[in-house]
Amino acid sequence: MTNPFDLSGRVAFVTGGAQGIGEAVSVGLRDAGARVVIGDLNAEIGEATAERLGVDFVQLDVTDSASVDAAVGHVVSEFGSIDVAVNNAGIVTNTPAEEMGDDEWRRVLAVDLDGVFYCCRAEGRAMLAAGRGTIINTGSMSGHISNHPQPQSSYNAAKAGVIHLTKSLAGEWASRGVRVNSISPGYIGTELTRRGLELQPEWGKTWIGGTPLGRVGEPAELAPAVVFLASDASSFCTGTDLVIDGGYTVW
């Protein structure tokens, strides 16, 4: 019987793939058989990660649509196609809304929402031309709820936008062979999250106390969900947002 999770022969492009969730997802896609290309702004870290994982690397700035177009064009030219795209690059700041300046607001939205759109647009053009492909965007449980006690209105708004953008593109492109889905992680034990737990232990008590499973997740626990959405196993899924949060949003 054919394995519906097998990605052999497919090219997967992962933005923000140099570390954290992106790195774990890249490993999962690689292990499922895909030819993985990670994209990241930091060339030094990105190239080192690519070498360690045995995958390829391309530098890009997701806030610059020309840079995104060039990176996607490079992947298609070099490897023949983009069959799977994971738009994962993102940032967060924790500034109270009344203190947030215009530049900070725009910086978060530029990476977390504009960047996802630029990537989807470029990847979508390539996939629509080929008549096939699947896009997975990294949303967040923060697109469904407002986190506390930390202030992060810009991040929350951006991730809510990512989830609805995903649904919008899924509807536009379904009839032309392109599926668009998203994952919405909860608190995941990346380096950034662990640093937050160390610097703000009171925040951590609320985060973990509000999670029914009683812990943060690990980046590797997200990879199987991305492989599912990237593969034929999810052939009837489009416009789906898969919440992976240890139960945080059930309370």
Side-chain angles (χ1 to χ4, degrees):
M1 181 178 179
T2 302
N3 178 6
F5 296 93
D6 184 18
L7 297 176
S8 297
R10 302 187 197 185
V11 176
F13 179 50
V14 182
T15 71
Q19 53 193 332
I21 292 171
E23 180 180 354
V25 164
S26 296
V27 170
L29 294 169
R30 180 203 66 187
D31 290 350
R35 177 72 179 268
V36 176
V37 184
I38 60 175
D40 207 276
L41 180 62
N42 190 315
E44 181 179 358
I45 297 175
E47 288 172 353
T49 299
E51 182 176 0
R52 185 174 68 256
L53 301 185
V55 302
D56 295 281
F57 173 75
V58 61
Q59 186 178 24
L60 84 163
D61 178 354
V62 298
T63 69
D64 180 346
S65 62
S67 175
V68 171
D69 291 345
V72 170
H74 170 79
V75 174
V76 173
S77 175
E78 188 73 18
F79 304 104
S81 65
I82 290 184
D83 304 295
V84 177
V86 182
N87 299 315
N88 173 72
I91 61 172
V92 64
T93 62
N94 298 119
T95 303
E98 73 276 14
E99 299 174 12
M100 187 180 301
D102 294 355
D103 289 347
E104 182 179 346
W105 170 267
R106 279 301 326 149
R107 181 164 61 90
V108 175
L109 271 289
V111 175
D112 292 1
L113 182 56
D114 296 350
V116 172
F117 173 71
Y118 296 154
C119 289
C120 284
R121 181 175 62 184
E123 297 150 358
R125 287 169 175 163
M127 291 177 180
L128 290 167
R132 68 182 190 279
T134 179
I135 295 172
I136 303 102
N137 297 321
T138 300
S140 172
M141 68 174 184
S142 304
H144 295 275
I145 52 94
S146 178
N147 304 63
H148 73 103
Q150 75 276 24
Q152 52 182 54
S153 58
S154 55
Y155 181 83
N156 296 353
K159 291 302 186 178
V162 167
I163 294 166
H164 208 59
L165 174 64
T166 297
K167 294 178 182 294
S168 299
L169 297 179
E172 286 191 37
W173 295 343
S175 64
R176 290 184 279 169
V178 178
R179 297 187 294 111
V180 189
N181 295 289
S182 59
I183 62 168
S184 281
Y187 292 112
I188 303 298
T190 61
E191 181 180 346
L192 185 63
T193 298
R194 294 193 185 284
R195 188 181 307 126
L197 290 170
E198 292 173 2
L199 296 177
Q200 300 285 353
E202 292 304 312
W203 291 6
K205 290 179 182 178
T206 300
W207 298 353
I208 294 173
T211 302
L213 289 183
R215 63 177 178 85
V216 298
E218 294 300 328
E221 292 181 289
L222 302 177
V226 173
V227 171
F228 166 69
L229 292 173
S231 72
D232 294 342
S234 63
S235 57
F236 200 52
C237 291
T238 197
T240 297
D241 180 56
L242 187 55
V243 180
I244 311 166
D245 66 351
Y248 191 93
T249 55
V250 305
W251 286 343

